[in-house]
Amino acid sequence: MMNTARRPERRTELLAAGAACVTVVLWASAFVSIRSAGAAYSPGALALGRLLAGALTLGLICLVRREGLPPRSAWRGIAVSGVLWFGFYMVALNWGEQEVDAGTAALVVNIGPLLIALLGARFLGDRLPPRLLAGMAVSFAGAVTVGLSMSGGGGSSLLGVVLCLLAAVAYAGGVVAQKPALGRASALQVTTFGCLVGAVMCLPFAGQLVADASDAPVTATLNMVYLGVFPTALAFTTWAYALARTTAGRMGATTYAVPSLVVLMSWLALGEVPGVLTLAGGALCPFRPPPSATGTPPPRPGTARETSESRPEGAETPR
């Protein structure tokens, strides 16, 4: 009887894990595509083009699935994540990758999961043990090491590291804002309308997008469309699906695999490999204490440990 009851829960866990894997691979490929397309498109234009392609793809899926508007209670989280994650993050990352290689950008941005843990403790009530704070200090030291290793390449390289750090902050804020919204609206709704908010935010770059597109090679434009359809429309939806079924901190930890994949992809596709000191600093950026130090895992739905205090007000139990 117990095994039978566990089957739906186990299936949900496997689907969430599979969705997270899809997200990690596609987001890793995004760093490489951004680096390639960024040679022909300015940061804001590339962000707008990517978001328009993503919004169009997501809009068509919503029409086919007959998804309506998200409930009013979800709009605050959607709007904040749209501005921070879909808007500011993409512009800052695009700009940063014009100054540093794809692998270095991924290493610095991957300080984001630790920022998610910190913000999750502040705004979502997640636990924040002292050892996790120590891990954040080590991660910050890694980011500083990466910055110092890139400073030898001139001010532009250091600027790229700073921009990637700002992107990490926006990414973390977007995830924490998105989590409560996923208790009130579907993953597809949250992703679609977050993408639309980001696109509206980037509309001031419309003139630059038209000018860049007229001169850009076909490969750069195809890379931009790829970014919109796969790392944005598909990967952000699979991310939201998985995030709705776990905590923000645990979901953020799944992205620790991204930098390794990016270094491999950028080496194969672009011939770029970060220096030894940069890799050493990047190894510290995603530092995380052992699972026992990061707090107990979230309770399973229906257990006595799950209370209204363990999730955002109004959020549904993940299922």
Side-chain angles (χ1 to χ4, degrees):
M1 177 74 71
M2 185 175 296
N3 288 338
T4 302
R6 277 279 297 162
R7 286 176 185 172
E9 185 178 333
R10 179 61 177 167
R11 180 173 180 273
T12 299
E13 291 174 352
L14 290 174
L15 287 174
C21 288
V22 170
T23 299
V24 166
V25 173
L26 290 179
W27 280 358
S29 72
F31 282 89
V32 179
S33 288
I34 289 170
R35 182 72 171 165
S36 179
Y41 285 92
S42 63
L46 179 57
L48 177 58
R50 173 181 180 176
L51 289 167
L52 289 176
L56 178 60
T57 302
L58 289 164
L60 291 174
I61 296 173
C62 283
L63 287 176
V64 172
R65 292 177 56 86
R66 297 183 179 179
E67 291 271 355
L69 292 173
R72 183 180 300 177
S73 59
W75 271 104
R76 180 179 178 182
I78 291 173
V80 173
S81 66
V83 170
L84 290 179
W85 199 4
F86 289 86
F88 183 86
Y89 167 83
M90 291 192 182
V91 176
L93 180 60
N94 293 346
W95 189 2
E97 285 207 53
Q98 289 189 351
E99 311 296 341
V100 298
D101 61 79
T104 299
L107 291 169
V108 177
V109 169
N110 215 43
I111 198 174
L114 291 169
L115 297 177
I116 290 172
L118 182 63
L119 293 175
R122 173 65 178 84
F123 296 105
L124 302 179
D126 295 343
R127 291 187 58 194
L128 189 62
R131 290 188 183 180
L132 184 56
L133 289 173
M136 291 177 183
V138 174
S139 180
F140 179 76
V144 171
T145 301
V146 173
L148 292 175
S149 72
M150 298 303 295
S151 63
S156 62
S157 295
L158 187 57
L159 172 63
V161 172
V162 172
L163 288 167
C164 290
L165 281 173
L166 291 175
V169 173
Y171 153 50
V175 170
V176 173
Q178 190 185 66
K179 175 64 177 174
L182 289 167
R184 301 166 173 85
S186 70
L188 182 57
Q189 288 175 323
V190 171
T191 305
T192 300
F193 289 93
C195 188
L196 282 172
V197 169
V200 170
M201 179 184 173
C202 291
L203 281 178
F205 301 109
Q208 188 65 56
L209 175 60
V210 173
D212 289 349
S214 63
D215 298 326
V218 174
T219 53
T221 301
L222 290 176
N223 264 306
M224 182 175 65
V225 173
Y226 168 82
L227 286 167
V229 175
F230 293 99
T232 303
L234 177 56
F236 272 77
T237 301
T238 52
W239 164 275
Y241 174 87
L243 179 60
R245 289 155 179 81
T246 186
T247 65
R250 292 184 69 183
M251 191 59 193
T254 64
T255 62
Y256 285 135
V258 169
S260 299
L261 291 174
V262 173
V263 170
L264 177 61
M265 290 179 181
S266 62
W267 172 55
L268 294 175
L270 305 174
E272 296 178 346
V273 180
V276 175
L277 184 58
T278 302
L279 289 173
L284 295 177
C285 283
F287 176 83
R288 183 177 56 149
S292 60
T294 60
T296 56
R300 298 189 184 281
T303 62
R305 289 168 52 214
E306 182 178 1
T307 67
S308 60
E309 296 178 354
S310 65
R311 59 181 181 271
E313 181 181 353
E316 297 178 358
T317 299
R319 60 182 184 273

